[in-house]
Amino acid sequence: MDNLIEIRWHGRGGQGAKTASLLLADAAFNTGKYIQGFPEYGPERMGAPITAYNRISSSPITIHSNIYEPDYVVVVDDTLLESVKVTAGLKETGAIIINTTKPANYLKEVLKDYKGSIYTIDARKISEQTLGKYFPNTPMLASIVKVSGIMSDEALLEDMKGSFKHKFAKKPEVIEGNMKALEMALKEVKKI
């Protein structure tokens, strides 16, 4: 498959990892890509670990399984670093993106088996500044787009503006904050 990119998301129920993976799939589809976006649940309860997946390609996707060797991993909750093997199967040519403020030496120690690129972003700070509450999924969505290059920053922002208008039709006051969260995250994700 041409340019197949596989992404695995790790989060906790209620943090929006599933929603972010579906928003990414929609945005990639709207740029002409073939996509898959799907969650995997264990115990379905708030705060329980969840996994979501994306496949994005420039040609039809014929694989229909979980992703065992992702190009990218997005960790929405850094408390999962010590309880879930987030780097399992992660290609060293890809990257892991972590919502965290923990120091680089801690992250390198906890991810000691992983030799690829590590990126961090403080999604809590961004979401609290732009939305007034902790919603890490919007900044994490922007960070995976920035790191992976799935689409341009401009294409993401344009697509999400339309998506947010539809999604938040009954709460238009949150659209501006979500757009600011995307813009901020695109600038603040950094490689360690």
Side-chain angles (χ1 to χ4, degrees):
M1 254 171 271
D2 290 341
N3 305 323
L4 176 67
I5 295 174
E6 295 183 311
I7 302 166
R8 187 175 63 221
W9 298 73
H10 292 280
R12 293 191 181 277
Q15 293 178 325
K18 178 187 105 172
T19 300
S21 76
L22 298 177
L23 287 170
L24 177 61
D26 286 346
F29 177 79
N30 291 335
T31 65
K33 302 281 189 192
Y34 292 88
I35 56 96
Q36 291 179 354
F38 54 98
E40 174 184 32
Y41 294 104
E44 295 183 41
R45 64 182 194 276
M46 189 75 89
I50 70 109
T51 309
Y53 304 94
N54 287 112
R55 281 193 182 94
I56 300 169
S57 179
S58 56
S59 59
I61 301 170
T62 57
I63 306 165
H64 299 284
S65 66
N66 286 349
I67 294 171
Y68 301 103
E69 294 183 347
D71 298 289
Y72 299 95
V73 167
V74 181
V75 181
V76 181
D77 187 320
D78 66 2
T79 64
L80 295 170
L81 293 174
E82 294 186 27
S83 61
V84 174
K85 184 92 171 102
V86 295
T87 57
L90 177 57
K91 295 174 185 169
E92 288 185 11
T93 55
I96 185 168
I97 305 159
I98 307 165
N99 170 21
T100 191
T101 57
K102 292 192 163 77
N105 59 345
Y106 165 80
L107 296 173
K108 288 177 182 176
E109 175 61 29
V110 79
L111 300 173
K112 62 182 167 273
D113 296 336
Y114 181 62
K115 306 296 182 228
S117 298
I118 302 169
Y119 289 81
T120 63
I121 187 163
D122 187 350
R124 176 179 295 278
K125 179 189 81 170
I126 292 170
S127 65
E128 288 177 350
Q129 283 181 5
T130 59
L131 301 166
K133 290 186 177 179
Y134 182 46
F135 295 113
N137 59 338
T138 301
M140 297 311 290
L141 169 61
S143 66
I144 184 60
V145 168
K146 186 65 165 187
V147 170
S148 68
I150 292 167
M151 66 188 74
S152 70
D153 296 357
E154 296 76 22
L156 172 70
L157 294 171
E158 188 61 32
D159 187 78
M160 293 312 299
K161 184 185 281 186
S163 181
F164 288 154
K165 281 182 183 174
H166 176 73
K167 180 178 168 105
F168 299 121
K170 294 185 178 172
K171 295 191 279 183
E173 66 278 3
V174 302
I175 295 170
E176 185 180 344
N178 275 282
M179 291 304 297
K180 284 182 180 173
L182 289 171
E183 292 166 6
M184 226 172 139
L186 287 168
K187 294 175 188 163
E188 293 195 18
V189 64
K190 62 184 179 288
K191 186 174 184 176
I192 61 164

